[in-house]
Amino acid sequence: MSKRRVSYFYDPDVGSYTYGLGHPMKPHRILMAHELISSYPPHLLLSHPSLTHLRPPRASAQRMTAFHTDEYVHFLSRVTPETMDELTGRGTQFLVGDDNPAFEGVWEFCTISAGGSIAAAKRINEGSSDIAINWAGGLHHAKKREASGFCYINDIVLAILDLLRVFPRVLYVDIDCHHGDGVEEAFYTTDRVMTCSFHKYGEYFPGTGTQEDRGRGKGRGYALNVPLKDGMSDETFKSVFDPVLERILAVFRPAAIILQCGADSLSGDKLGCFNLTMQGHAHCTSFLRKFDIPLILLGGGGYTVKNVARAWCYETACALGVQHELVPMGEEGGMMPWNEYFEWFGPRYRLEVVKNNMEDVNLRIADPHDSEDTPDNLSPRIPIPRDTGRTWKQTEIDRVRERALQQIKELEGRIGAPSVQMMDVPRESVAEHVGFFSRNRQAEEREMEWQDELDAKLAQHSRYVYHLQSQGGGSTSRRPQPQQSPHLTSTSSATRKRMSLITNMVFEIPLCYGRVGQCGRRRYSDDGFTWWDA
């Protein structure tokens, strides 16, 4: 395979943090992966001539506010287990539920994770690397002003924002078992970023990611979701991943790609429900590598830590093109060298994640009466290859693949040349730029009001479109309700819904009402559109 310049980012402090006793998220898995990578002969991985091993600088609070709100970043920088109850308004903002505890060192952990992804984007922007790796990143659930699904800071969004400074179009691919909702929401209204998520859907965290979630406004069609079912095998996954990505690369023509390699889609994961082997998971890395497009590899989920370490070690080898020296061609695994955590990989002590005997529900025959012919998809369907001469019945995965290819086809002709994509209307006149005069205060205030209104509408969108909020004690209506007076302390039963990644149970928390000290400085009304400062 052709050579690629690879940058590998690792901070040795990342494995020192813990979410707490019994919590499934283990930052220690990143240390295990690094120790396994380091244990191979130097010429294969860490000392390979094409690999540069770097310790990334930690992200500053200012860099994080490129996406997250100032209030949320300030909160993370000072929250501790002792002050969590007070700073979160008794669990009604910032850290909701038990998935995201305020553990000791949470801020430092966030700076390490985000710093690695930002540094990876910088190497790609400078042209110093063809592939950049940060296994401490990939925390794709974090929202603009709230932690979610074990994720506090969305390092992926920060990396994409940096890539957009140089590249006209960026493709984000997510193979985590859970939907990449945080990244999708962040770029839901733009056509410069296309998000493509392959995930389990159906009473599963975060409860989003249907094929009808396609973007909004200019971003309509640039959010692609491929919902899957339990037992996804290597062959089935490849049958949908390869044709979908080939069409995206041909139609969208990205200048850079980010691949989130969440390892909870591996067979035997504690919170996952797929049946992918190590080679089936790493196929995505090898597939995208061959197109010679700048590529960033990030971590993500993965809760059977020994399998996470195996997969990310093997995918580091895939980035270098030396995977067959670790696992010979045609074999399921290779002998593992001694390392600091050798006993964790027993009883076989091999670099392998093998499939089990789960049923692949994706291969069940689709119900012909379960049609998705909504007004949005009445256009002619793309025929998929079928074996002639025998009866053919459409399976669940056939239906999903066909729908995804049709959605990509609808983008053809809508994407302009890169030079057109990068053009922008000047934000100030020449006279303003040289200092002859400035806009009056009234105009600036109007602009700020417009920005606040847009921010509120995006908040409303995430709550109603993604079914994250209920009105009046559980109603799922998307129609805004009459606004309650912000000056009155409410005892209303209005709540918003959240799903737990650990239990997949839906729980409710009260909306923020009342005066200073109850839910923080800024509060939203229950229509999701307006806020007031207490």
Side-chain angles (χ1 to χ4, degrees), residues 24-227:
M25 183 60 149
K26 308 292 185 184
H28 189 70
R29 66 206 174 125
I30 305 165
L31 172 59
M32 289 181 60
H34 178 75
E35 289 294 332
L36 182 56
I37 293 170
S38 304
S39 67
Y40 278 91
H43 70 280
L44 283 182
L45 295 179
L46 280 190
S47 296
H48 191 280
S50 299
L51 186 139
T52 304
H53 181 195
L54 301 166
R55 178 171 181 168
R58 301 190 178 184
S60 65
Q62 183 178 5
R63 294 300 298 271
M64 295 180 185
T65 56
F67 171 61
H68 296 281
T69 63
D70 294 354
E71 294 88 347
Y72 177 54
V73 173
H74 180 57
F75 160 80
L76 284 178
S77 68
R78 61 195 181 104
V79 69
T80 64
E82 294 76 23
T83 61
M84 175 181 173
D85 192 58
E86 175 188 357
L87 296 180
T88 62
R90 297 185 178 180
T92 58
Q93 62 175 353
F94 301 142
L95 303 182
V96 179
D98 298 326
D99 287 356
N100 295 85
F103 59 87
E104 289 289 348
V106 61
W107 172 249
E108 289 75 16
F109 176 74
C110 291
T111 61
I112 293 173
S113 172
S117 297
I118 293 172
K122 182 179 179 182
R123 292 282 291 186
I124 296 295
N125 284 344
E126 295 172 345
S128 304
S129 299
D130 303 309
I131 301 174
I133 302 172
N134 175 36
W135 296 130
L139 305 182
H140 58 167
H141 293 305
K143 307 299 193 298
K144 184 173 184 177
R145 55 175 61 83
E146 187 175 86
S148 175
F150 312 160
C151 306
Y152 299 85
I153 291 294
N154 201 315
D155 62 287
I156 305 172
V157 173
L158 298 176
I160 292 175
L161 290 174
D162 271 10
L163 291 176
L164 290 175
R165 299 174 185 271
V166 175
F167 298 103
R169 289 185 293 274
V170 176
L171 171 64
Y172 170 69
V173 182
D174 192 314
I175 60 172
D176 193 287
C177 195
H178 301 89
H179 177 225
D181 57 333
V183 183
E184 180 181 288
E185 289 179 20
F187 300 105
Y188 207 67
T189 59
T190 179
D191 58 357
R192 290 187 61 196
V193 178
M194 186 168 187
T195 60
C196 178
S197 178
F198 298 83
H199 55 268
K200 162 69 185 295
Y201 179 77
E203 297 184 1
Y204 194 70
F205 181 89
T208 60
T210 73
Q211 290 193 285
E212 300 312 311
D213 293 334
R214 300 183 55 195
R216 188 174 181 182
K218 288 179 63 178
R220 179 66 176 170
Y222 292 89
L224 184 71
N225 288 297
V226 184

Side-chain angles (χ1 to χ4, degrees), residues 6 24 58 225 245 251 317 343 352 398 421 427:
V6 178
R58 301 190 178 184
N225 288 297
L245 263 296
V251 174
E343 65 275 10
E352 62 181 4
D398 291 332
Q421 288 287 103
R427 291 171 172 79

Side-chain angles (χ1 to χ4, degrees), residues 392-429:
W392 180 87
K393 294 183 178 180
Q394 188 181 48
T395 62
E396 295 284 354
I397 196 65
D398 291 332
R399 173 178 291 174
V400 170
R401 183 197 308 111
E402 184 179 355
R403 180 73 183 120
L405 293 174
Q406 177 62 37
Q407 290 177 346
I408 300 170
K409 182 177 176 62
E410 293 171 6
L411 289 179
E412 293 181 358
R414 290 176 52 188
I415 302 174
S419 59
V420 177
Q421 288 287 103
M422 294 294 288
M423 291 180 65
D424 191 13
V425 177
R427 291 171 172 79
E428 59 182 0
S429 66

Side-chain angles (χ1 to χ4, degrees), residues 240-251:
V240 66
F241 183 88
D242 289 10
V244 167
L245 263 296
E246 283 179 354
R247 290 304 302 154
I248 289 177
L249 294 175
V251 174

Side-chain angles (χ1 to χ4, degrees), residues 323-393:
Q323 65 270 29
H324 298 308
E325 297 190 44
L326 273 61
V327 179
M329 184 84 72
E331 296 187 14
E332 287 188 344
M335 292 305 300
M336 185 179 292
W338 187 92
N339 60 83
E340 191 72 24
Y341 298 94
F342 189 73
E343 65 275 10
W344 290 55
F345 300 100
R348 289 173 58 84
Y349 305 102
R350 292 174 63 84
L351 188 66
E352 62 181 4
V353 179
V354 298
K355 63 181 179 180
N356 54 37
N357 60 354
M358 288 181 67
E359 178 195 1
D360 191 346
V361 182
N362 300 274
L363 297 180
R364 289 181 180 175
I365 303 301
D367 184 356
H369 302 292
D370 185 16
S371 175
E372 296 184 1
D373 287 327
T374 62
D376 179 57
N377 61 5
L378 291 178
S379 53
R381 298 293 182 90
I382 297 178
I384 60 178
R386 305 184 175 113
D387 293 334
T388 58
R390 65 174 183 172
T391 304
W392 180 87
K393 294 183 178 180

Side-chain angles (χ1 to χ4, degrees), residues 36 40 175 234 263 265-267 275-286 306-318 323 326-328 331-336 345 350-355:
L36 182 56
Y40 278 91
I175 60 172
D234 290 356
S265 49
L266 288 167
S267 174
N275 197 15
L276 295 181
T277 67
M278 182 180 69
Q279 286 88 343
H281 192 270
H283 168 76
C284 304
T285 299
S286 300
K306 60 182 180 180
N307 288 345
V308 175
R310 286 170 165 138
W312 290 349
C313 173
Y314 186 72
E315 285 167 346
T316 302
C318 290
Q323 65 270 29
L326 273 61
V327 179
E331 296 187 14
E332 287 188 344
M335 292 305 300
M336 185 179 292
F345 300 100
R350 292 174 63 84
L351 188 66
E352 62 181 4
V353 179
V354 298
K355 63 181 179 180

Side-chain angles (χ1 to χ4, degrees), residues 427-429 432 437-452:
R427 291 171 172 79
E428 59 182 0
S429 66
E432 289 174 334
F437 67 89
S438 61
R439 293 173 293 178
N440 58 49
R441 185 175 182 82
Q442 185 178 6
E444 292 179 352
E445 290 177 352
R446 284 199 302 268
E447 182 176 350
M448 286 300 297
E449 290 174 359
W450 176 84
Q451 292 176 350
D452 288 349

